[in-house]
Amino acid sequence: MDELKNIIRDVPDFPKKGIVFKDITTLLADAKSFQRMVDLLAHRYVGEKIDKVVGVEARGFILGAALAYKLGAGVVLVRKPGKLPSETFSKTYQLEYGTDTLEIHTDAIRKGEKVLIADDVLATGGTMSAVVDMVRDLGGEIVECCFLAELDFLGGRKKLPDGKVFSLLTF
Ligand code: AMP
């Protein structure tokens, strides 16, 4: 696991001063690490009969699509406003400064479907918490919210459903 942790690049002061950005592109570009990340995460959900894997724009798409393929599930996109072409359901949530909005197609998840949500990094948890609300509003049953990495010191998991958060790596 240390190998996977070490291959993620820290970029200080990105996108703004004081933030250490966990740049996963270095992991994605390494064939063995990418395969290991997908295999380890997918293994956890084999047998769970996941119907849909929801990927959060944009790095969550990569993880979400790879997991869905391995699990024989469909892929659902959660996107920034104005990107999804058909009827959408949207959720506005609080950021440190201001708000942000995410959208999902209203017909992307059917009532009772088993849903896994995937993103690269769990930071403050605001983004994933909004996605959890959207999936539940559409009637999806959340199996888990999974991440490649969690920034533990930001306490994001407290905003998410109890016992339904899994991160492969913790910083
Ligand atoms: P959150 O604060 O949990 O709502 O994080 C929002 C999104 O920003 C997540 O989808 C992460 O991909 C990204 N993010 C936030 N903080 C970082 C960080 N330090 N390094 C890399 N990605 C981050």
Side-chain angles (χ1 to χ4, degrees):
M1 224 50 99
D2 276 352
E3 267 173 54
L4 283 184
K5 268 177 103 161
N6 293 337
I7 201 165
I8 294 175
R9 173 166 54 195
D10 278 355
V11 183
D13 298 324
F14 183 89
K16 54 184 179 189
K17 213 164 171 50
I19 292 182
V20 179
F21 193 83
K22 294 286 172 197
D23 176 18
I24 68 155
T25 61
T26 41
L27 184 152
L28 298 176
D30 181 73
K32 278 217 171 77
S33 300
F34 177 62
Q35 203 163 44
R36 199 162 149 68
M37 167 186 80
V38 175
D39 285 348
L40 285 169
L41 279 172
H43 184 255
R44 184 174 170 84
Y45 303 105
V46 170
E48 289 277 358
K49 297 203 169 85
I50 306 282
D51 296 300
K52 300 278 168 63
V53 181
V54 173
V56 185
E57 184 160 358
R59 289 174 302 272
F61 292 169
I62 300 164
L63 194 52
L67 286 176
Y69 181 79
K70 286 281 257 188
L71 296 169
V75 188
V76 171
L77 309 183
V78 164
R79 300 210 62 180
K80 307 261 165 65
K83 303 279 190 187
L84 290 170
S86 190
E87 191 194 334
T88 58
F89 175 72
S90 68
K91 173 97 192 167
T92 298
Y93 60 101
Q94 209 63 41
L95 294 174
E96 198 180 350
Y97 303 102
T99 61
D100 217 341
T101 301
L102 288 171
E103 292 184 345
I104 190 168
H105 273 145
T106 48
D107 61 359
I109 292 166
R110 286 193 294 271
K111 231 181 168 49
E113 280 190 320
K114 294 181 80 177
V115 177
L116 174 66
I117 314 175
D119 203 0
D120 64 333
V121 174
L122 170 59
T124 66
T127 305
M128 187 52 86
S129 164
V131 179
V132 163
D133 287 350
M134 286 196 287
V135 169
R136 285 184 168 163
D137 284 345
L138 291 179
E141 185 201 315
I142 293 167
V143 173
E144 209 157 56
C145 307
C146 76
F147 302 88
L148 166 61
E150 173 172 0
L151 307 180
D152 198 29
F153 54 93
L154 293 175
R157 82 168 42 223
K158 285 192 228 108
K159 290 204 186 109
L160 302 176
D162 239 6
K164 291 193 183 289
V165 181
F166 178 76
S167 312
L168 198 56
L169 311 172
T170 305
F171 290 93

